[in-house]
Amino acid sequence: MVDLDLDKFFDRVHWERLLARLGKLVKDDRLIALIRRMLKARVVMPDGVVVTTEEGTPQGGPLSPLLSNIVLDELDWELSRRGHRFVRYADDQNIYVRSQRAGERVMANVRDFIERKLRLKVNLAKSAVAKPEERHFLGFRLRRDPEDGAVEVDLSKRSKERVDEKIRHKTRRNRGSRCGRRCGS
């Protein structure tokens, strides 16, 4: 599997390219103008500092997954054209291949497409060619059952550790009972 991570994706989206692609899909100029205003809006940070940007999209809002789908739609079409099997949500992408060698070839070709055509950058430190059970996607990992070959979806190691830590924190033995010393605890 090729696990692609786009480096600072939401900070690097090229506005004019995004709005041009959006203009091909949406014929309502008022909606395009509204999205342009949202992109240019100043952001007030939690500490009160006001930040203005010249590129990128707001991350974490309801608009960010939609805008990322518009920006990366061209990548989806290219992967489909090449016959790849893949899954993507916002800027997280996995491409499924049959071998390590095929994965390395696909990684190089797709990286070239992303960087030249889409003007985005692949984070090589976080991207990898690996077996699906070794990587996570949106908090899950895929594992093939060795007996029947069925694909299972499990929590990723990182998600499981987070859940286990929350359970340990909420069920600590040293927290005492609700009634305190009155109950003899």
Side-chain angles (χ1 to χ4, degrees), residues 16-181:
E16 294 309 315
R17 192 169 197 294
L18 166 64
L19 292 169
R21 296 240 352 127
L22 194 56
K24 290 179 182 177
L25 301 169
V26 177
K27 300 303 174 204
D28 186 348
D29 292 336
R30 295 173 303 166
L31 181 59
I32 303 293
L34 176 63
I35 292 173
R36 181 183 297 276
R37 286 180 34 213
M38 290 175 78
L39 291 171
K40 290 184 176 187
R42 296 181 300 166
V43 177
V44 180
M45 303 303 280
D47 59 0
V49 174
V50 178
V51 178
T52 58
T53 59
E54 296 298 319
E55 65 178 4
T57 65
Q59 185 174 1
L63 198 57
S64 59
L66 175 66
L67 295 179
S68 65
N69 283 343
I70 292 166
V71 170
L72 296 173
D73 181 61
E74 199 170 347
L75 174 61
D76 295 346
W77 282 103
E78 181 65 17
L79 293 174
S80 293
R81 186 186 69 74
R82 294 179 185 190
H84 293 304
R85 293 179 181 201
F86 64 95
V87 60
R88 182 178 63 76
Y89 178 80
D91 64 326
D92 293 318
Q93 174 116 25
N94 288 347
I95 306 166
Y96 299 95
V97 294
R98 294 198 182 273
S99 69
Q100 179 77 22
R101 188 170 158 198
E104 290 166 4
R105 186 185 75 249
V106 168
M107 171 76 90
N109 290 335
V110 171
R111 177 180 168 214
D112 184 58
F113 179 85
I114 289 170
E115 293 183 353
R116 279 189 322 103
K117 182 84 173 172
L118 303 181
R119 300 185 205 170
L120 297 168
K121 184 134 178 71
V122 173
N123 183 336
L124 295 177
K126 291 184 177 180
S127 298
V129 176
K131 293 181 178 180
E133 58 266 17
E134 295 171 3
R135 305 294 288 183
H136 75 274
F137 182 71
L138 303 176
F140 296 93
R141 67 181 175 91
L142 300 177
R143 186 176 75 80
R144 186 174 297 267
D145 187 311
E147 291 181 20
D148 65 2
V151 176
E152 298 174 347
V153 179
D154 295 329
L155 277 179
S156 70
K157 182 178 178 184
R158 194 165 72 183
S159 295
K160 185 170 178 2
E161 288 170 356
R162 235 180 297 160
V163 167
D164 289 347
E165 179 57 33
K166 279 186 179 179
I167 290 171
R168 273 193 296 279
H169 178 74
K170 292 184 183 252
T171 59
R172 289 211 171 128
R173 295 176 194 264
N174 63 356
R175 293 177 78 159
S177 67
R178 289 179 171 235
C179 61
R181 295 183 185 257

